[in-house]
PDB file of all heavy atoms in Angstrom:
ATOM      1  N   THR A  44     -14.359  10.977  16.652  1.00 98.00           N
ATOM      2  CA  THR A  44     -15.363  11.161  17.715  1.00 98.00           C
ATOM      3  C   THR A  44     -16.451  10.093  17.603  1.00 98.00           C
ATOM      4  O   THR A  44     -17.014   9.679  18.618  1.00 98.00           O
ATOM      5  CB  THR A  44     -15.964  12.583  17.659  1.00 98.00           C
ATOM      6  OG1 THR A  44     -16.219  12.934  16.298  1.00 98.00           O
ATOM      7  CG2 THR A  44     -15.015  13.593  18.272  1.00 98.00           C
ATOM      8  N   GLY A  45     -16.724   9.621  16.374  1.00 97.00           N
ATOM      9  CA  GLY A  45     -17.691   8.528  16.215  1.00 97.00           C
ATOM     10  C   GLY A  45     -17.213   7.271  16.941  1.00 97.00           C
ATOM     11  O   GLY A  45     -17.983   6.635  17.675  1.00 97.00           O
ATOM     12  N   LEU A  48     -17.468   7.757  20.689  1.00 98.00           N
ATOM     13  CA  LEU A  48     -18.857   7.650  21.152  1.00 98.00           C
ATOM     14  C   LEU A  48     -19.330   6.201  21.130  1.00 98.00           C
ATOM     15  O   LEU A  48     -19.977   5.734  22.073  1.00 98.00           O
ATOM     16  CB  LEU A  48     -19.764   8.531  20.285  1.00 98.00           C
ATOM     17  CG  LEU A  48     -19.616  10.040  20.501  1.00 98.00           C
ATOM     18  CD1 LEU A  48     -20.241  10.821  19.348  1.00 98.00           C
ATOM     19  CD2 LEU A  48     -20.253  10.463  21.831  1.00 98.00           C
ATOM     20  N   ARG A  49     -18.984   5.483  20.068  1.00 95.00           N
ATOM     21  CA  ARG A  49     -19.396   4.073  19.985  1.00 95.00           C
ATOM     22  C   ARG A  49     -18.775   3.273  21.120  1.00 95.00           C
ATOM     23  O   ARG A  49     -19.401   2.357  21.668  1.00 95.00           O
ATOM     24  CB  ARG A  49     -19.024   3.460  18.625  1.00 95.00           C
ATOM     25  CG  ARG A  49     -20.012   3.813  17.517  1.00 95.00           C
ATOM     26  CD  ARG A  49     -19.686   3.092  16.211  1.00 95.00           C
ATOM     27  NE  ARG A  49     -18.503   3.618  15.568  1.00 95.00           N
ATOM     28  CZ  ARG A  49     -18.490   4.713  14.802  1.00 95.00           C
ATOM     29  NH1 ARG A  49     -19.590   5.384  14.569  1.00 95.00           N
ATOM     30  NH2 ARG A  49     -17.377   5.144  14.258  1.00 95.00           N
ATOM     31  N   MET A  66     -27.570   8.809  18.265  1.00 97.00           N
ATOM     32  CA  MET A  66     -26.803   8.209  17.173  1.00 97.00           C
ATOM     33  C   MET A  66     -27.671   7.248  16.370  1.00 97.00           C
ATOM     34  O   MET A  66     -27.556   7.162  15.150  1.00 97.00           O
ATOM     35  CB  MET A  66     -25.578   7.484  17.735  1.00 97.00           C
ATOM     36  CG  MET A  66     -24.572   8.431  18.358  1.00 97.00           C
ATOM     37  SD  MET A  66     -23.289   7.560  19.259  1.00 97.00           S
ATOM     38  CE  MET A  66     -22.273   6.935  17.925  1.00 97.00           C
ATOM     39  N   GLY A  69     -29.490   8.980  13.802  1.00 96.00           N
ATOM     40  CA  GLY A  69     -28.670   9.665  12.791  1.00 96.00           C
ATOM     41  C   GLY A  69     -28.463  11.142  13.044  1.00 96.00           C
ATOM     42  O   GLY A  69     -27.956  11.864  12.189  1.00 96.00           O
ATOM     43  N   ASP A  70     -28.855  11.617  14.243  1.00 97.00           N
ATOM     44  CA  ASP A  70     -28.643  13.032  14.583  1.00 97.00           C
ATOM     45  C   ASP A  70     -27.262  13.239  15.183  1.00 97.00           C
ATOM     46  O   ASP A  70     -26.578  12.273  15.546  1.00 97.00           O
ATOM     47  CB  ASP A  70     -29.678  13.492  15.627  1.00 97.00           C
ATOM     48  CG  ASP A  70     -31.016  13.777  14.986  1.00 97.00           C
ATOM     49  OD1 ASP A  70     -31.052  14.004  13.768  1.00 97.00           O
ATOM     50  OD2 ASP A  70     -32.024  13.747  15.719  1.00 97.00           O
ATOM     51  N   LEU A  71     -26.896  14.507  15.369  1.00 98.00           N
ATOM     52  CA  LEU A  71     -25.621  14.811  16.019  1.00 98.00           C
ATOM     53  C   LEU A  71     -25.802  14.856  17.535  1.00 98.00           C
ATOM     54  O   LEU A  71     -26.799  15.365  18.046  1.00 98.00           O
ATOM     55  CB  LEU A  71     -25.074  16.161  15.543  1.00 98.00           C
ATOM     56  CG  LEU A  71     -24.654  16.263  14.081  1.00 98.00           C
ATOM     57  CD1 LEU A  71     -23.909  17.568  13.840  1.00 98.00           C
ATOM     58  CD2 LEU A  71     -23.790  15.082  13.661  1.00 98.00           C
ATOM     59  N   VAL A  72     -24.805  14.348  18.221  1.00 98.00           N
ATOM     60  CA  VAL A  72     -24.758  14.374  19.684  1.00 98.00           C
ATOM     61  C   VAL A  72     -24.473  15.827  20.101  1.00 98.00           C
ATOM     62  O   VAL A  72     -23.746  16.535  19.403  1.00 98.00           O
ATOM     63  CB  VAL A  72     -23.637  13.401  20.136  1.00 98.00           C
ATOM     64  CG1 VAL A  72     -23.351  13.513  21.608  1.00 98.00           C
ATOM     65  CG2 VAL A  72     -24.000  11.970  19.738  1.00 98.00           C
ATOM     66  N   VAL A  77     -19.511  16.157  23.064  1.00 98.00           N
ATOM     67  CA  VAL A  77     -18.400  15.880  22.158  1.00 98.00           C
ATOM     68  C   VAL A  77     -17.171  16.710  22.542  1.00 98.00           C
ATOM     69  O   VAL A  77     -16.043  16.199  22.579  1.00 98.00           O
ATOM     70  CB  VAL A  77     -18.837  16.174  20.707  1.00 98.00           C
ATOM     71  CG1 VAL A  77     -17.691  16.002  19.748  1.00 98.00           C
ATOM     72  CG2 VAL A  77     -19.993  15.278  20.312  1.00 98.00           C
ATOM     73  N   GLY A  98     -14.319  13.220  11.616  1.00 97.00           N
ATOM     74  CA  GLY A  98     -15.687  13.375  12.119  1.00 97.00           C
ATOM     75  C   GLY A  98     -15.815  14.464  13.170  1.00 97.00           C
ATOM     76  O   GLY A  98     -16.842  14.557  13.843  1.00 97.00           O
ATOM     77  N   PHE A  99     -14.807  15.261  13.335  1.00 98.00           N
ATOM     78  CA  PHE A  99     -14.825  16.402  14.249  1.00 98.00           C
ATOM     79  C   PHE A  99     -13.964  17.502  13.640  1.00 98.00           C
ATOM     80  O   PHE A  99     -12.868  17.181  13.158  1.00 98.00           O
ATOM     81  CB  PHE A  99     -14.275  16.006  15.621  1.00 98.00           C
ATOM     82  CG  PHE A  99     -14.199  17.169  16.581  1.00 98.00           C
ATOM     83  CD1 PHE A  99     -15.282  17.487  17.384  1.00 98.00           C
ATOM     84  CD2 PHE A  99     -13.055  17.963  16.653  1.00 98.00           C
ATOM     85  CE1 PHE A  99     -15.230  18.576  18.249  1.00 98.00           C
ATOM     86  CE2 PHE A  99     -13.004  19.053  17.510  1.00 98.00           C
ATOM     87  CZ  PHE A  99     -14.089  19.360  18.314  1.00 98.00           C
ATOM     88  N   ARG A 101     -17.989  19.093  13.698  1.00 98.00           N
ATOM     89  CA  ARG A 101     -19.155  18.854  12.843  1.00 98.00           C
ATOM     90  C   ARG A 101     -20.167  19.996  12.924  1.00 98.00           C
ATOM     91  O   ARG A 101     -21.177  19.949  12.228  1.00 98.00           O
ATOM     92  CB  ARG A 101     -19.846  17.570  13.290  1.00 98.00           C
ATOM     93  CG  ARG A 101     -19.619  16.373  12.376  1.00 98.00           C
ATOM     94  CD  ARG A 101     -20.284  15.216  13.040  1.00 98.00           C
ATOM     95  NE  ARG A 101     -20.676  14.124  12.233  1.00 98.00           N
ATOM     96  CZ  ARG A 101     -20.020  12.969  12.188  1.00 98.00           C
ATOM     97  NH1 ARG A 101     -18.883  12.828  12.824  1.00 98.00           N
ATOM     98  NH2 ARG A 101     -20.516  11.972  11.502  1.00 98.00           N
ATOM     99  N   GLN A 105     -18.480  23.753  17.392  1.00 98.00           N
ATOM    100  CA  GLN A 105     -17.342  22.855  17.653  1.00 98.00           C
ATOM    101  C   GLN A 105     -16.073  23.417  17.002  1.00 98.00           C
ATOM    102  O   GLN A 105     -14.987  23.379  17.588  1.00 98.00           O
ATOM    103  CB  GLN A 105     -17.613  21.451  17.103  1.00 98.00           C
ATOM    104  CG  GLN A 105     -18.671  20.676  17.875  1.00 98.00           C
ATOM    105  CD  GLN A 105     -18.937  19.295  17.277  1.00 98.00           C
ATOM    106  OE1 GLN A 105     -18.177  18.788  16.454  1.00 98.00           O
ATOM    107  NE2 GLN A 105     -20.035  18.678  17.692  1.00 98.00           N
ATOM    108  N   ARG A 173     -22.289  -1.313  11.111  1.00 90.00           N
ATOM    109  CA  ARG A 173     -22.657  -0.330  12.122  1.00 90.00           C
ATOM    110  C   ARG A 173     -24.173  -0.166  12.174  1.00 90.00           C
ATOM    111  O   ARG A 173     -24.827  -0.182  11.145  1.00 90.00           O
ATOM    112  CB  ARG A 173     -22.018   1.025  11.770  1.00 90.00           C
ATOM    113  CG  ARG A 173     -20.582   1.132  12.202  1.00 90.00           C
ATOM    114  CD  ARG A 173     -19.922   2.355  11.682  1.00 90.00           C
ATOM    115  NE  ARG A 173     -20.736   3.579  11.819  1.00 90.00           N
ATOM    116  CZ  ARG A 173     -20.265   4.799  11.568  1.00 90.00           C
ATOM    117  NH1 ARG A 173     -19.029   4.955  11.185  1.00 90.00           N
ATOM    118  NH2 ARG A 173     -21.035   5.849  11.689  1.00 90.00           N
ATOM    119  N   ASP A 175     -25.871   2.373  12.556  1.00 94.00           N
ATOM    120  CA  ASP A 175     -26.394   3.549  11.845  1.00 94.00           C
ATOM    121  C   ASP A 175     -26.073   3.511  10.353  1.00 94.00           C
ATOM    122  O   ASP A 175     -26.282   4.487   9.648  1.00 94.00           O
ATOM    123  CB  ASP A 175     -25.898   4.848  12.493  1.00 94.00           C
ATOM    124  CG  ASP A 175     -24.377   4.965  12.517  1.00 94.00           C
ATOM    125  OD1 ASP A 175     -23.696   4.000  12.113  1.00 94.00           O
ATOM    126  OD2 ASP A 175     -23.879   6.024  12.928  1.00 94.00           O
ATOM    127  N   ARG A 184     -28.521  10.920   8.506  1.00 95.00           N
ATOM    128  CA  ARG A 184     -27.135  11.362   8.741  1.00 95.00           C
ATOM    129  C   ARG A 184     -26.682  12.328   7.650  1.00 95.00           C
ATOM    130  O   ARG A 184     -25.989  13.298   7.927  1.00 95.00           O
ATOM    131  CB  ARG A 184     -26.208  10.143   8.811  1.00 95.00           C
ATOM    132  CG  ARG A 184     -26.436   9.333  10.081  1.00 95.00           C
ATOM    133  CD  ARG A 184     -25.790   7.978  10.003  1.00 95.00           C
ATOM    134  NE  ARG A 184     -24.348   8.033   9.893  1.00 95.00           N
ATOM    135  CZ  ARG A 184     -23.602   7.075   9.342  1.00 95.00           C
ATOM    136  NH1 ARG A 184     -24.173   5.994   8.865  1.00 95.00           N
ATOM    137  NH2 ARG A 184     -22.302   7.187   9.316  1.00 95.00           N
TER     138      ARG A 184
HETATM  139  P1  AMP B 301     -19.190   8.833  12.504  1.00 72.98           P
HETATM  140  O1  AMP B 301     -18.563   7.573  12.945  1.00 72.98           O
HETATM  141  O2  AMP B 301     -18.218   9.967  12.383  1.00 72.98           O
HETATM  142  O3  AMP B 301     -20.038   8.682  11.255  1.00 72.98           O
HETATM  143  O4  AMP B 301     -20.205   9.269  13.683  1.00 72.98           O
HETATM  144  C1  AMP B 301     -21.294   8.434  14.056  1.00 72.98           C
HETATM  145  C2  AMP B 301     -22.298   9.238  14.851  1.00 72.98           C
HETATM  146  O5  AMP B 301     -21.675   9.728  16.053  1.00 72.98           O
HETATM  147  C3  AMP B 301     -22.835  10.481  14.150  1.00 72.98           C
HETATM  148  O6  AMP B 301     -23.910  10.187  13.297  1.00 72.98           O
HETATM  149  C4  AMP B 301     -23.243  11.332  15.351  1.00 72.98           C
HETATM  150  O7  AMP B 301     -24.453  10.880  15.914  1.00 72.98           O
HETATM  151  C5  AMP B 301     -22.142  11.042  16.355  1.00 72.98           C
HETATM  152  N1  AMP B 301     -20.996  11.973  16.222  1.00 72.98           N
HETATM  153  C6  AMP B 301     -19.713  11.662  15.844  1.00 72.98           C
HETATM  154  N2  AMP B 301     -18.938  12.747  15.843  1.00 72.98           N
HETATM  155  C7  AMP B 301     -19.715  13.784  16.231  1.00 72.98           C
HETATM  156  C8  AMP B 301     -19.489  15.170  16.405  1.00 72.98           C
HETATM  157  N3  AMP B 301     -18.291  15.726  16.180  1.00 72.98           N
HETATM  158  N4  AMP B 301     -20.535  15.931  16.841  1.00 72.98           N
HETATM  159  C9  AMP B 301     -21.750  15.397  17.072  1.00 72.98           C
HETATM  160  N5  AMP B 301     -22.025  14.101  16.909  1.00 72.98           N
HETATM  161  C10 AMP B 301     -21.038  13.289  16.488  1.00 72.98           C
END
Side-chain angles (χ1 to χ4, degrees):
T44 42
L48 288 164
R49 280 185 288 278
M66 294 170 76
D70 281 339
L71 294 190
V72 171
V77 176
F99 177 89
R101 255 176 157 104
Q105 289 179 14
R173 278 171 45 171
D175 59 355
R184 290 166 63 205

